Amino acid sequence: MYVGGRSRGLTIIAPSSIAWFVSEALEAKEDRLGFKVDVIVARGRGSLEVRRASGDILTLRWFPVCHTVEAYGYTLEWRLRPRISLERFEALNIKPGPWLRDLLERGEATVEGVKVKLEDVVRRSEVTVKLSYTGDTAPCNDYVEDIRGSRVLVHDSTFHSELEAEARSKGHSTSKDAAVKALEAGAELLVLTHVSSRYRGFEARRLVEEARRVFPKTVLSKDMMRIAISPLEHPPRLGGGLSSTSW
């Protein structure tokens, strides 16, 4: 485990079997890593919160899914604080100052005898952006609430529904299963992943077409794919050379 030039600590969250393997490997290499590694064993549902000085909060949550071995899905949820408009300050003839913290925390502040409300000076209110990844899983109700409201849902889609029986026996989902879960969870964009190597070219396209009959905003995952998620009320868009017209 070498990450060129890394000095910041690394946190790994994994099921017990993987966490044990990683811990054993780290013990052998600990003096050569150059950065601290914390291993968190996932048991049931849990979360880890990262706060920035700006007030933005990133929460990573994990939850059990329905695979043939212990497995977990994950959500990343960004809570982005309101963004202030300097132009609105100028229109009110006031200058930003230490009182901004009170304004952000309480929704109002008094500046030079004038009461200023948060809505008077923001260009964007607080927003929450959520991305979910199921990992390997068969479709079940256990995780629907965990992924509800995702802007982007990355879901297991190993087989076409023609091979539903094989998918179930191996603890995986079909493209139709993934689409149904995206619909149930109220996702905005579905990304099909963990596709069997038997689906190439046109065959892989069949998975997308099947999913889109249930959930139209579906795309197939691709190595190094980028998806831009706007904090505003815009749909997620594809980057890295992929056009949103592929929806």
Side-chain angles (χ1 to χ4, degrees):
M1 182 187 294
Y2 293 98
V3 183
R6 185 185 182 97
S7 58
R8 290 195 307 167
L10 177 67
T11 300
I12 299 174
I13 302 166
S16 55
S17 57
I18 297 175
W20 176 86
F21 173 79
V22 172
S23 297
E24 290 293 305
L26 287 174
E27 188 172 338
K29 303 286 186 181
E30 188 173 9
D31 59 336
R32 298 166 58 187
L33 279 177
F35 55 90
K36 182 183 179 182
V37 179
D38 292 318
V39 180
I40 297 177
V41 180
R43 293 188 178 92
R45 286 173 171 78
S47 64
L48 179 67
E49 190 173 87
V50 179
R51 291 176 175 264
R52 300 187 65 180
S54 65
D56 294 340
I57 301 172
L58 170 62
T59 304
L60 168 65
R61 294 185 175 88
W62 55 93
F63 51 91
V65 293
C66 304
H67 194 40
T68 53
V69 297
E70 183 186 17
Y72 291 85
Y74 300 87
T75 66
L76 286 169
E77 188 169 275
W78 291 266
R79 199 171 81 199
L80 307 176
R81 66 165 180 77
R83 294 305 192 252
I84 301 297
S85 168
L86 293 179
E87 291 79 8
R88 294 192 179 184
F89 275 116
E90 292 175 359
L92 294 171
N93 198 29
I94 55 177
K95 295 181 179 180
W99 51 268
L100 265 176
R101 182 174 296 277
D102 286 342
L103 184 65
L104 291 171
E105 292 178 353
R106 303 175 186 173
E108 63 179 37
T110 300
V111 187
E112 299 176 2
V114 178
K115 181 175 289 187
V116 179
K117 293 186 176 181
L118 186 60
E119 57 264 30
D120 296 332
V121 294
V122 294
R123 57 182 171 84
R124 195 205 69 212
S125 300
E126 181 175 290
V127 295
T128 299
V129 179
K130 183 176 180 178
L131 179 148
S132 298
Y133 169 63
T134 65
D136 295 4
T137 186
C140 62
N141 293 327
D142 295 15
Y143 59 86
V144 173
E145 288 305 316
D146 297 285
I147 63 175
R148 188 172 301 284
S150 300
R151 299 288 301 276
V152 176
L153 171 61
V154 184
H155 198 291
D156 183 321
S157 176
T158 307
F159 300 111
H160 189 277
S161 61
E162 294 170 343
L163 298 177
E164 181 178 353
E166 183 175 352
R168 295 294 183 275
S169 68
K170 294 181 177 179
H172 289 295
S173 300
T174 67
S175 49
K176 183 178 179 181
D177 293 330
V180 169
K181 291 305 174 189
L183 194 63
E184 290 178 0
E188 288 188 29
L189 176 68
L190 170 63
V191 181
L192 304 180
T193 192
H194 200 278
V195 174
S196 169
S197 59
R198 73 186 70 185
Y199 299 104
R200 297 179 182 274
F202 176 76
E203 287 299 314
R205 186 73 184 176
R206 291 180 63 222
L207 300 182
V208 179
E209 291 173 350
E210 177 176 66
R212 284 179 177 170
R213 284 195 283 272
V214 177
F215 192 82
K217 289 186 177 180
T218 299
V219 296
L220 189 67
S221 62
K222 180 180 179 180
D223 289 346
M224 307 305 291
M225 173 189 272
R226 293 183 179 183
I227 298 176
I229 309 176
S230 170
L232 304 177
E233 295 301 318
H234 301 307
R237 59 184 178 84
L238 305 182
L242 297 176
S243 169
S244 60
T245 57
S246 61
W247 283 10

